[in-house]
Amino acid sequence: MNLATENWQSIRETSTRRIAKWRQDFPILSTEVNGKPLVYLDNGATTQKPKTVIDAERAYYEEYNANVHRGVHTLSQRATDAYEGAREKVRKFINAPSSDEIIFVRGTTEAINLVAHAFGRSQIGRGDEIIVSTMEHHSNIVPWQMLCQETGAILRVVPINDAGEFLFDEFEKLIGPRTKLVGIVHVSNALGSVNPIKRIVDLAHSKNIPVLVDGAQAVAHLKVDVRALDCDFYAFSGHKIFAPTGTGVLYGKRAILERMPPYQGGGDMIRSVSFSKTEYNVIPYKFEAGTPNIAGGICLGVALDYVTSIGMDEIASHEHELLEYATNAIKKIPGVRLIGTAKEKGGILSFIIDGIHPHDIGTILDHQGVAIRAGHHCAMPVMERFCVAATARASFAFYNSFADIDTLIDGIHKVKEILG
Ligand code: 7TS
């Protein structure tokens, strides 16, 4: 089925030429699934890896595998230089003032747990309040609930409207003298809504409240500048930005990180240890106990080089075109309801079809070679807000094409034919 109008036709031709070379960098994109060419639309769950990243992982193990920060030998020096070089690449990518403010973690989940433990348990007590929003991923809800349970602090929740937009006025009303932290997702994984982070930060800072941003669904899709946002913490996962799983970043402002106690104890996070007195290392190492994912960290740097070579503005504009095209097409299908229609949206299309379970949608699409996610997307409060148990979700990356969207739309018609 061809949904392109004349207008779309010219955008589409330019775009197809533009992404053809990017797609060649991802070996998996030319594989088949169930006898059909793979159409990968589950980038919200994890992104595919370019050959440069895969080669860098292999090169590390074949050429200079060694532990970091401890060996005088050549390989250890090389591994340390590459690992610390990656930290500097992350700094530059998000425009952080210093690489000391870049903490390597396992992913967004660990980054938020780190803040909940180290900041939360030292600065938040009984009766204090933490503000999150209805559209948070569980990883920006549960660590705070655990903290509240332990300390007697209270979790406050900013509601969202029917389009899935953050209600700023309600946020303003929730901020009070006991608010100790605001934790907000940059781009919602279940709805695609892009939140007004700078406005949120400005208001919170006017009352001296720090802000943590969950950037898991943002970094690979729009330009993130932590200095411009002025947020106190920014968390993201490497695997959602074309790097290996088990990698991620917590950015934190120096002053706040230096005041925080360590998260885990062990090697690397100390300056000296004795049974009478242990001194902790400086930031960021104070928060990086034990041998890290060295190859993963190095590859995160390589992935950031890769997206930088394309350009985040280029990526954002391509994904925006895909979203508009897909939204127009899906809206024309009778019985399909979009969940998440915010004015500011990233490349995420969550939907339901009357009378058909999202898992069945996912299964039938899979038979067509189309990978999407079906479920609650670890955002059960969002499902509750929209009175649905689950949604089907297509989530885009820069390597997705207009043809991918056509295959998705054809697949949805097939789902309706079979189960409707
Ligand atoms: N925050 C958001 C907004 C997310 O989308 C996710 C993962 C996380 C945090 C947790 O990231 P992790 O890398 O630590 O697991 N989101 C999804 C998703 O939408 N489908 O699978 C994982």
Side-chain angles (χ1 to χ4, degrees):
M1 200 175 87
N2 185 3
L3 290 149
T5 62
E6 258 172 48
N7 192 19
W8 278 120
Q9 198 56 43
S10 80
I11 294 174
R12 176 186 184 120
E13 277 163 18
T14 320
S15 146
T16 305
R17 273 196 303 277
R18 198 167 41 163
I19 67 166
K21 59 177 189 309
W22 302 337
R23 289 180 69 88
Q24 281 171 5
D25 296 328
F26 291 78
I28 207 170
L29 295 181
S30 47
T31 58
E32 293 195 342
V33 168
N34 293 321
K36 302 276 168 53
L38 169 67
V39 172
Y40 188 76
L41 295 173
D42 195 17
N43 296 286
T46 198
T47 54
Q48 300 302 346
K49 316 307 170 202
K51 200 159 178 309
T52 49
V53 167
I54 299 167
D55 290 347
E57 177 107 11
R58 187 181 183 92
Y60 168 76
Y61 287 113
E62 284 188 353
E63 296 166 23
Y64 62 105
N65 171 45
N67 213 328
V68 288
H69 305 144
R70 51 200 93 198
V72 290
H73 63 80
T74 304
L75 289 193
S76 177
Q77 279 298 327
R78 234 187 114 185
T80 303
D81 289 349
Y83 191 66
E84 292 305 322
R87 198 189 303 275
E88 171 57 20
K89 288 177 187 180
V90 172
R91 182 206 67 73
K92 206 164 160 212
F93 188 72
I94 59 170
N95 195 29
S98 161
S99 60
D100 297 347
E101 299 170 310
I102 304 298
I103 301 163
F104 278 133
V105 289
R106 277 193 300 127
T108 310
T109 304
E110 186 173 46
I112 297 172
N113 275 279
L114 191 161
V115 178
H117 275 263
F119 176 84
R121 279 150 183 83
S122 63
Q123 315 270 330
I124 298 176
R126 175 166 299 280
D128 287 339
E129 297 175 2
I130 302 147
I131 297 181
V132 297
S133 81
T134 305
M135 70 175 100
E136 301 309 314
H137 185 276
H138 296 165
S139 62
N140 197 29
I141 299 174
V142 184
W144 306 116
Q145 289 177 322
M146 291 161 73
L147 176 71
C148 289
Q149 213 161 27
E150 260 178 55
T151 60
I154 299 156
L155 192 61
R156 302 265 183 228
V157 184
V158 182
I160 57 177
N161 65 16
D162 290 343
E165 289 165 324
F166 182 88
L167 291 173
F168 198 86
D169 292 349
E170 300 297 321
F171 168 56
E172 202 159 3
K173 283 187 222 154
L174 281 180
I175 291 194
R178 299 299 300 268
T179 310
K180 286 287 153 52
L181 183 80
V182 173
I184 299 291
V185 69
H186 198 166
V187 178
S188 154
N189 70 319
L191 300 166
S193 323
V194 180
N195 284 322
I197 296 299
K198 179 69 173 117
R199 260 184 95 198
I200 292 169
V201 170
D202 286 348
L203 178 63
H205 282 184
S206 72
K207 299 174 195 288
N208 287 322
I209 302 162
V211 177
L212 171 143
V213 182
D214 170 354
Q217 299 292 344
V219 274
H221 309 284
L222 48 92
K223 196 176 240 162
V224 170
D225 181 332
V226 293
R227 248 187 283 196
L229 290 174
D230 199 28
C231 55
D232 302 271
F233 298 106
Y234 197 96
F236 67 93
S237 303
H239 72 100
K240 293 191 202 284
I241 186 162
F242 319 106
T245 53
T247 64
V249 169
L250 173 68
Y251 156 78
K253 281 185 180 168
R254 178 186 293 278
I256 204 164
L257 290 179
E258 281 179 344
R259 279 203 314 274
M260 278 159 54
Y263 167 47
Q264 295 177 326
D268 240 21
M269 53 74 72
I270 50 82
R271 183 174 287 148
S272 69
V273 175
S274 77
F275 285 110
S276 55
K277 184 172 175 6
T278 286
E279 274 185 56
Y280 303 132
N281 208 338
V282 292
I283 63 165
Y285 309 110
K286 181 169 86 174
F287 299 105
E288 294 183 352
T291 299
N293 182 353
I294 301 166
I298 294 168
C299 289
L300 172 56
V302 174
L304 298 184
D305 287 342
Y306 181 83
V307 288
T308 302
S309 75
I310 292 175
M312 289 313 296
D313 290 335
E314 181 97 356
I315 287 174
S317 96
H318 171 64
E319 290 180 17
H320 186 72
E321 284 172 7
L322 285 182
L323 179 71
E324 267 197 46
Y325 179 72
T327 305
N328 284 338
I330 208 165
K331 271 185 177 165
K332 291 190 185 128
I333 308 175
V336 174
R337 178 180 156 210
L338 277 176
I339 305 291
T341 50
K343 267 191 228 78
E344 295 291 327
K345 255 191 93 168
I348 284 173
L349 214 57
S350 236
F351 61 96
I352 53 170
I353 306 178
D354 284 346
I356 303 176
H357 196 283
H359 283 143
D360 295 332
I361 302 174
T363 305
I364 294 174
L365 287 176
D366 182 52
H367 293 157
Q368 317 302 310
V370 182
I372 61 147
R373 184 170 173 194
H376 54 60
H377 315 296
C378 303
M380 287 174 92
V382 173
M383 302 297 115
E384 198 183 328
R385 169 65 179 77
F386 287 90
C387 302
V388 294
T391 73
R393 181 192 69 180
S395 49
F396 311 140
F398 67 85
Y399 44 60
N400 287 124
S401 63
F402 282 75
D404 288 346
I405 307 293
D406 289 344
T407 312
L408 168 72
I409 299 294
D410 285 346
I412 295 173
H413 282 288
K414 188 148 257 154
V415 171
K416 288 190 62 190
E417 252 168 61
I418 298 172
L419 297 174

